[in-house]
Amino acid sequence: MTTVEHVQPGHQTAEMTARAGRPARPRRRRRGLLTTIVWYLLLLALAAVVLYPLVWLFFATLKPSSEFGRNSGLLPWEPTLDNYARVWDGIAGIPLWRYGLNSLIVASLAVVGTLGSSALAGYAFARVAFKGSKILFAAMIGTLLLPFHVIIIPQYIIFNQLDLLDTYVPLLIGKFLGTEAFFVFLMVQFIRNIPRELDEAARIDGAGHPRIFWSIVVPLLRPALVTGGIFSFIWTWNDFLGPLIYLTSPENYTLPIALRLYNDTTSTSDYGATVAASLLSLIPVLLFFLIFQRMLIRGVATQGLKG
Amino acid sequence: MASAALLLAGCGGEPAGPSADFDPNAPVTLDLAFWGNDTRAGFYKNAIAKFNEKYPKITVNSTFLPFPEFWEKRQIEAAGRDLPDVMQFDYAYLRQYSQNRLLLDLKPYLGKYIKTDGFTESTLGIGVVNGVTTALPIGTNAWAMFTNTALVTKTGAGAYPGGTSWDEYATWMGAVAKAGGGSVWGGTDPTGRIQNFEISLRADGKNLFDDAGAPQFTKAELAEFWGRGAQVRGTGATIPTKRLLEVAPKSGFGAGLTTSELTWDNFGAGYAGDLGADASGLALTAPPVTKAGAKDLYLKPSMLHAIAANSEHPEASALLVDFLLNSQEAGAVFGTNRGLPASSTHLAGVKLDPLSQKILDYETSIKDRLGAAPPVPVVGYGSIEEKFRQLGEELGLGTVTVEQAVDQFFSEMDTILKK
């Protein structure tokens, strides 16, 4: 153990400096204060640059549609709450909250499906010895390279023949069946870092795979599950192409599609309602992130430390 | 990808004609797809309710999306041979879908399920591809010039009379810009739009593309056209491209920065919405003339209706198309939301608002300049049009020379046409 007494000559501890350099203290503090102020100003300026679009978006929700294009400044010339009123009225007779609810249902179920299936698949790849596991793992990683556009047509044909179009099944079934290779890979890597001795001890106590998975791996997997859950929620919440292709009835649309409905370049576009609805649609994701961000950072940090 | 998918989907059998034992009172469910906004969705809802008063057993499920997403979804559905029974259709995609036999041959249904009395011979011919009628026009529009009379008056400059030479139009734009003092301009560089190039070609009796889809213009002709824009680009007569990019997605005209714009005559409601003003300050005049007495303008379908070849209920679909195209009831509901109606029986039901009246008057006023419509656009026309617009923008920004722009356009066009 290193103690203060063992400090090499020439290396001063903070305590020693403070004791020895008493007269120098005010100068140091002033310099420290000055540096802090400069840093704060710099950071505030950077924060202003980064947050400006969000602040602009907020004020833009108070601009009448006709002001867009003419007033690119921050403050509206003639502030109005009409945009929010129109958003409240909804589109095609369907209120905006309905689209939000649809998105929430799809995103929540996607989180449940993704986490459940990828944790199970991850456990199988990391802990269960079975024939062809290496080839299957390589194939799964290979699917990460496939662009969505390549598989979309065959998938569409299958769901059409199964008569599942205009339901949420095509959007969710893959997530429940562990087809999200990224999340499976995340779990595999995490489980590989959990000491095998824990499993072996459990096995001696008579536990089988289900028990080891549920009682040992899942509790230790929590950081990875939280990280996966947040990404899965945000990606599904923002997904546009999947709902566009599989959902037909306007009352089933999710929020990203509903937001696009305000703008049709071939007829009239409602820019005011678009920005108001965009701001409102940011709130759930922002809340989700604020609630879980600590766990997200902890999850990512834990992953970094392992291995 | 989408075109390959369409090719794959085009291998279906020959379409059968209408069934002899069709009963309009048998329960049937149809899918109807259209592009548009909330307002148009409301109109369709009302029109379907009126249709159901006549045919209560035909259930119509409607779906709508904005224009780009509408086509993205259709491309996937086409690959799966699962297009909606009845579709609002766009001229630019007509050749592609027709050639791949994705659309129903309407001929056996014309006269029997879809009345044709309201259409003229030429409007009926609009939706014919390779001799097969695969779509019928909902409305027609023509290339025109919108002017914002209220804004012109505000600057103190005189109004544009319409139908002058291009040089006179440029002079007028310069006068407005001078009076506007750097906050209002006379217009946008007209050489940035392919339609202005098209009407210049048509003045010489040519079209952009011939029947076989080959371009009817040379590099030199395009270079000469884009070169002509130099007289207004950067002289301060037209709005700087940078300013236009700042106000996008609104146009300079919609943002109240320019006093004139060449576009399709049914864009007035959109402009009025963008300007936040009533449309009374908008005027429609004829575009500048390239050659006196030339038949350079033509009527184009603003949109069409088509039935999918994969529809299981072609007769009921045809009845719905007939109602949406021809009935006075539907006319009363839609007004001119989908363009000035092509069918006279549909038009009879329309209560013309002042702006629609202006469009009708405009289309009547250009009768002498209207020539035969060009062949149905080539496959990929939308991409060609967009490339032309992008290069026009780059010319405005000064990032390419006219020669470079011409080379880039021809190489892009060759790639698209060879596909």
Side-chain angles (χ1 to χ4, degrees), chain A residues 98-170:
Chain A
R98 173 70 193 264
Y99 299 113
L101 186 70
N102 292 343
S103 275
L104 200 66
I105 292 171
V106 174
S108 309
L109 287 174
V111 171
V112 173
T114 306
L115 295 187
S117 65
S118 53
L120 274 170
Y123 178 79
F125 278 125
R127 287 292 200 260
V128 185
F130 59 96
K131 244 189 184 173
S133 69
K134 278 191 177 161
I135 295 171
L136 282 175
F137 189 70
M140 184 203 72
I141 297 296
T143 61
L144 278 175
L145 306 173
L146 275 181
F148 185 56
H149 294 86
V150 174
I151 50 171
I152 188 73
I153 292 173
Q155 249 184 26
Y156 179 86
I157 295 172
I158 293 170
F159 288 123
N160 183 22
Q161 282 172 356
L162 292 173
D163 211 11
L164 287 171
L165 296 182
D166 204 23
T167 69
Y168 296 139
V169 177

Side-chain angles (χ1 to χ4, degrees), chain B residues 34-311:
Chain B
F34 58 93
W35 68 85
N37 58 2
D38 188 28
T39 316
R40 189 173 293 157
F43 290 156
Y44 267 103
K45 201 175 163 189
N46 291 344
I48 292 164
K50 295 252 190 292
F51 174 72
N52 282 142
E53 285 172 13
K54 266 188 178 170
Y55 303 102
K57 291 289 169 77
I58 302 179
T59 311
V60 182
N61 290 333
S62 64
T63 178
F64 77 106
L65 284 167
F67 188 79
E69 286 79 11
F70 176 91
W71 288 105
E72 204 172 338
K73 195 171 159 93
R74 295 294 89 77
Q75 301 279 57
I76 304 276
E77 287 173 344
R81 259 198 118 63
D82 182 41
L83 286 167
D85 299 280
V86 178
M87 289 165 280
Q88 195 173 289
F89 220 81
D90 188 66
Y91 204 35
Y93 290 88
L94 192 61
R95 187 176 287 274
Q96 189 184 3
Y97 278 67
S98 299
Q99 281 178 352
N100 288 315
R101 295 195 200 151
L102 290 160
L103 303 179
L104 189 74
D105 177 2
L106 296 176
K107 199 145 196 211
Y109 302 86
L110 294 180
K112 192 170 180 191
Y113 295 102
I114 305 173
K115 291 183 283 296
T116 52
D117 336 337
F119 292 94
T120 62
E121 202 60 39
S122 66
T123 46
L124 266 183
I126 282 174
V128 178
V129 181
N130 298 339
V132 182
T133 306
T134 47
L136 290 168
I138 296 172
T140 54
N141 54 12
W143 196 243
M145 183 187 289
F146 273 96
T147 56
N148 185 338
T149 52
L151 194 61
V152 178
T153 314
K154 221 166 144 187
T155 62
Y160 175 67
T164 67
S165 71
W166 288 96
D167 284 343
E168 282 166 298
Y169 174 51
T171 311
W172 176 79
M173 284 197 289
V176 175
K178 206 172 165 195
S183 56
V184 176
W185 291 267
T188 310
D189 171 14
T191 60
R193 297 292 298 269
I194 201 168
Q195 287 81 3
N196 290 325
F197 182 48
E198 184 182 28
I199 61 171
S200 298
L201 284 175
R202 283 173 62 90
D204 289 330
K206 292 193 282 189
N207 281 308
L208 285 170
F209 300 96
D210 62 16
D211 264 326
Q216 287 196 296
F217 54 94
T218 61
K219 281 188 170 183
E221 279 169 314
L222 182 56
E224 196 268 321
F225 177 75
W226 268 333
R228 230 191 284 162
Q231 64 172 314
V232 285
R233 278 197 298 268
T235 61
T238 54
I239 182 169
T241 309
K242 262 192 203 162
R243 194 82 184 87
L244 278 179
L245 291 174
E246 276 172 21
V247 300
K250 274 191 185 177
S251 64
F253 189 77
L257 297 171
T258 62
T259 54
S260 72
E261 182 139 302
L262 285 146
T263 190
W264 298 106
D265 63 13
N266 60 332
F267 273 43
Y271 286 144
D274 281 355
L275 286 162
D278 64 277
S280 60
L282 295 178
L284 263 170
T285 52
V289 177
T290 315
K291 207 177 257 179
K295 303 264 185 203
D296 54 349
L297 302 175
Y298 62 92
L299 285 179
K300 166 192 156 308
S302 55
M303 47 186 93
L304 308 108
H305 265 310
I307 299 175
N310 60 272
S311 172

